[in-house]
Amino acid sequence: MNLRDLAYAVSLAADGHFRRAAERCNVSQPTLSAQIAKLEDELGVQLFERSPRGATPTLNGRALLHQAGIVLDEVERLRELARAAHDPLVGPFQLGVIPTAGPYLMPRLLPLLQANWPALKLHLREDRTDALVERLRAGALDAAILSTPIEAEDLRTEPLLEERMLLALPAGHALARTPRIRHESLAGAPVMLLEDGHCLRDQTMAFCRSTGLGARSDVQAASLETLRQMVMAGIGLALIPALAAEAPFGLGPMAVYRRFEDPEPSRTLVLAWRRSFPRGDALRGLAKALAGALADGT
């Protein structure tokens, strides 16, 4: 028994006709017929009922052919993993991304990945920073898009984007007429936060401490979109990443975004991976390509 004969049998089960199955397998019809007969002898089971109109799996054959398909799929996955060992940008690639960046960043990056690495089978996982770091360490992720600072000496990082943070406020707010926001003009203004676990929460709190602003911890949002809706409702103000402010499903005419005067708050998005990852050079090249695409589009 060999994988080639299993592939012949699975192809015949799918086509139901010896000629079409042989064409799909790029062999002659007599060769395919002989190899399937040989496989039946080895298994001691008749896999197909033959007739002038084609071939139909037998009752026992159905179960065996189903299992043969699983075997062939697993062999292909083994080959993909072997190819990925030589080039991590071929085959399955597990990428994590923080929720305050994923919806706004990935629409820009996915076309680049598809165009330049068509053999990459990308699987995205959106989660908070701590969870993504743990999954990186456990090997459940190949890389992750995070925001610095990251307290993980066992990870390597490559910068993707220095992203400006903007002030989101209702359109009717007095500061909405100001082109650039002075820090002191926000004295006493309620700046709302995301829930614990979001890196954007920590960055907002750090900015508030450095500028003397008041972070409102009694009202917290589970997501960036909820935070923006709370701004629209007039509950408070918020720091919003620039990419999110540009999103087409943003606040629209009911809210505005304003830049701060210097020093402007910002965050650095990075691609992170394990130091032990065998092809870190390939991921470093990927990060540079992604950073170039973001620089061209911002």
Side-chain angles (χ1 to χ4, degrees), residues 32 38 40 51 66 91 146 161 164 175 255 260 263 281:
L32 182 133
K38 174 187 171 187
E40 290 177 319
S51 73
H66 174 73
L146 307 173
L161 176 69
R164 181 181 294 119
L175 292 175
F260 287 89
D281 54 339

Side-chain angles (χ1 to χ4, degrees), residues 69-113:
I70 293 175
V71 169
L72 293 173
D73 287 343
E74 290 300 315
V75 168
E76 181 56 30
R77 174 163 174 74
L78 182 64
R79 289 172 176 152
E80 286 182 347
L81 292 173
R83 288 193 294 266
H86 296 284
D87 185 353
L89 304 183
V90 171
F93 188 80
Q94 305 289 336
L95 177 65
V97 60
I98 53 176
T100 58
Y104 322 105
L105 194 67
M106 297 316 297
R108 296 174 181 241
L109 298 185
L110 287 176
L112 176 74
L113 292 171

Side-chain angles (χ1 to χ4, degrees), residues 88-89 93 142-143 158 271-274 277 279-288:
L89 304 183
F93 188 80
D142 297 308
E158 188 73 24
L271 185 71
W273 63 91
R274 295 181 302 283
F277 196 81
R279 290 296 305 276
D281 54 339
L283 294 185
R284 191 172 291 107
L286 172 64
K288 291 184 181 301

Side-chain angles (χ1 to χ4, degrees), residues 169-217:
L169 61 164
H173 196 282
L175 292 175
R177 297 186 294 272
T178 305
R180 297 284 288 269
I181 303 296
R182 299 173 59 191
H183 298 164
E184 55 267 28
S185 66
L186 285 176
V191 179
M192 297 181 297
L193 302 170
L194 290 174
E195 292 177 345
D196 282 329
H198 288 282
C199 54
L200 184 58
R201 172 192 173 92
D202 298 334
Q203 292 154 356
T204 299
M205 292 182 67
F207 177 71
C208 288
R209 285 193 297 269
S210 67
T211 57
L213 301 182
R216 184 173 180 179
S217 59

Side-chain angles (χ1 to χ4, degrees), residues 11-210:
S11 181
L12 180 58
D15 286 305
H17 194 280
F18 280 95
R19 179 181 57 79
R20 289 195 297 268
E23 290 174 352
R24 177 188 290 193
C25 296
N26 295 313
V27 295
S28 67
Q29 182 174 330
T31 296
L32 182 133
S33 180
Q35 291 303 121
I36 290 178
K38 174 187 171 187
L39 177 62
E40 290 177 319
D41 288 341
E42 292 183 21
L43 294 173
V45 176
Q46 183 180 347
L47 299 175
F48 296 95
E49 294 180 10
R50 279 90 165 161
S51 73
R53 290 177 295 181
T56 303
T58 63
L59 181 61
N60 291 329
R62 290 193 201 106
L64 292 170
L65 291 165
H66 174 73
Q67 188 63 35
I70 293 175
V71 169
L72 293 173
D73 287 343
E74 290 300 315
V75 168
E76 181 56 30
R77 174 163 174 74
L78 182 64
R79 289 172 176 152
E80 286 182 347
L81 292 173
R83 288 193 294 266
H86 296 284
D87 185 353
L89 304 183
V90 171
F93 188 80
Q94 305 289 336
L95 177 65
V97 60
I98 53 176
T100 58
Y104 322 105
L105 194 67
M106 297 316 297
R108 296 174 181 241
L109 298 185
L110 287 176
L112 176 74
L113 292 171
Q114 292 167 353
N116 292 277
W117 293 278
L120 188 70
K121 295 183 179 179
L122 187 64
H123 301 276
L124 284 173
R125 181 181 182 88
E126 190 176 279
D127 212 332
R128 298 182 183 184
T129 300
D130 289 348
L132 293 179
V133 168
E134 288 306 310
R135 292 183 71 84
L136 274 176
R137 287 172 170 159
L141 292 176
D142 297 308
I145 296 176
L146 307 173
S147 178
T148 59
I150 305 167
E151 298 180 3
E153 295 182 357
D154 52 339
L155 300 181
R156 293 187 181 276
T157 62
E158 188 73 24
L160 297 178
L161 176 69
E162 183 73 19
E163 185 179 19
R164 181 181 294 119
M165 305 293 289
L166 305 177
L167 181 69
L169 61 164
H173 196 282
L175 292 175
R177 297 186 294 272
T178 305
R180 297 284 288 269
I181 303 296
R182 299 173 59 191
H183 298 164
E184 55 267 28
S185 66
L186 285 176
V191 179
M192 297 181 297
L193 302 170
L194 290 174
E195 292 177 345
D196 282 329
H198 288 282
C199 54
L200 184 58
R201 172 192 173 92
D202 298 334
Q203 292 154 356
T204 299
M205 292 182 67
F207 177 71
C208 288
R209 285 193 297 269
S210 67

